[in-house]
Amino acid sequence: MSRSFLVLFLIITGTTTLLAQKPANDTMNVGKIINIIQSERYNFMDRGDTSGKFISLAGNANVKQGKTHFIADSIVINQKNNIMEAYGNIHINDADSVHTYAQYVKYFGKDKKAFLNDKVKLTDGKAVLTTDNLEYDVNTKEGIYLNGGKLISGKTVLTSKEGYYYGNTRDVIFKKKVLLINPEYKIITDTLLYNLNTDIVTFVCPTIIKTGKRNIKTKEGWYNLKTKQAWFGARPTIDDSSYTVTADSIHFNDSTGMGNLRGKVVYASKDSVGGFDLTSDYLDIDKKNNTVLATQKPILIVKQENDSIYITADTLYVAPLDNLSKKVTIPVLRDSTYKTPKDSSSNRYFTGYHHVKIFSDSMQAVGDSMFYSLRDSIFRLFTNPVLWSKENQIMGDTIYMFTKNKKPEKMRVIENATAINKLTDKYYNQVSGNNINAFFVDGNISHIYTKGSPADNVYYALDDAGKYIGVNKSTSDVINVYLVNNKAEKVTFINNLSGTMYPMGQVNHDDIKVRHFKWDESRKPKNKFFIP
């Protein structure tokens, strides 16, 4: 037998041994044997010791285990341990579902685990994961990198220090210095879950999301990259160009611009002129239409330096005034001398429905409904409204409170108007008529103008020592009451005056009260903490 024939015999027998490593009766090893498909060059070495037999393939080497193909420039297989090492331009095709590339791979055929190094790339056809080092389990289709990696899915690029890929569910968990960048948003966190099927990102630790001029801070939640819907919990905060809001949980849809906030909601506008805060347990935001709807114990705070106005109702609604003007005609209550603010933030109105309460240090009010426009700075109160200023109470069918620099300027009461100035628990200065106009100086009522058919008046006169000398019951077409320090100092009558002065002890003070008299202090908001 010649030497060349001997070499050829060894090659043939070695190849035959490799291609048929699994004995016919060995059912326990099904899918575990590494089989050679092709190679340009082949080398077989038997060390004759415990290390086993080695097969070396070079040049377009291609081997297979089950449905997984391994292609590389060169491959070395340890037959005894069923371990393979591949070098150069490696491509692992896992049942045509996951494709992995690298420059070096060490593969354990028994456990079906691969360790990949140098220019590692893993893709399922929709997303591409790149890293320098990757551990991949063919059985479970799970991959792990611990030294930095990048995932590209469409226009989304995600980088992290560590990554855990689960091929069966197509979930990826990213940890340590996680950064997700998309043309429309950026996400910064330390741990993030991303599902490649649903395009849903899940947050489990402090996270910052930047979208345009909006910053979101949350500790838990999810964001759907396809539908642009999101939910955040654990007291998230949204800082937008026009507002900042915090709640127990927030759900919003960037496609529609709708947001739903639940639990201890705090909404703060950033308007330079019409700045306000709004708290509630239930709040809806319509970003496209720039509206806010608050229910469940809402409180609106119209901000000003020294005397902010607190408003509550069963429901509060904030929206642009221009949108309302296109649907209904808003009566003009200011005269031509009033200068309408030109600032865009004045294009806003507030409405309150049912059980409206208003509190400021200088003024308090209640009513069933309210409308307030930042453009004309007028509070409109409807259905049994009552307004208080110090010891003065004014009520009627409808009340218009005009403010200037967010302080009371004047007031108009329409139909069944009554003004009461409390002197003691028994004595009250009173005036009643069809309509009342009241004027304020430094937040206090200085002048009350009443017109009726006729108007009624009850006035308690004092001597120079401040003692009561009698009470005047009178009627007139027009009655003017002038106040100093919230106390009536002078009363004048115009046209058809008729009246009687009674000694204090010779009159029933209840019988001479004006029509519609009712001292309704029990409804008066006592302070900003108890207005709900």
Side-chain angles (χ1 to χ4, degrees), residues 416-433:
N416 300 312
T418 303
I420 303 171
N421 171 233
K422 182 178 181 181
L423 303 173
T424 68
D425 289 338
K426 185 177 181 180
Y427 304 143
Y428 302 85
N429 289 328
Q430 311 153 43
V431 63
S432 178

Side-chain angles (χ1 to χ4, degrees), residues 132-196:
D132 284 335
N133 309 101
L134 178 70
E135 177 183 337
Y136 184 70
D137 190 317
V138 176
N139 273 323
T140 60
K141 293 182 173 58
E142 296 177 5
I144 299 173
Y145 67 81
L146 303 174
N147 295 309
K150 177 191 292 185
L151 176 72
I152 300 176
S153 179
K155 296 180 180 180
T156 301
V157 179
L158 198 155
T159 59
S160 68
K161 184 70 174 177
E162 297 180 5
Y164 303 83
Y165 172 80
Y166 301 89
N168 289 329
T169 60
R170 301 191 77 224
D171 286 313
V172 189
I173 300 176
F174 300 93
K175 293 185 177 181
K176 298 181 180 180
K177 297 182 179 180
V178 182
L179 176 62
L180 187 151
I181 298 178
N182 183 279
E184 297 181 7
Y185 43 81
K186 178 189 293 185
I187 299 175
I188 305 168
T189 184
D190 197 61
T191 301
L192 181 147
L193 284 68
Y194 180 32
N195 185 276
L196 299 170

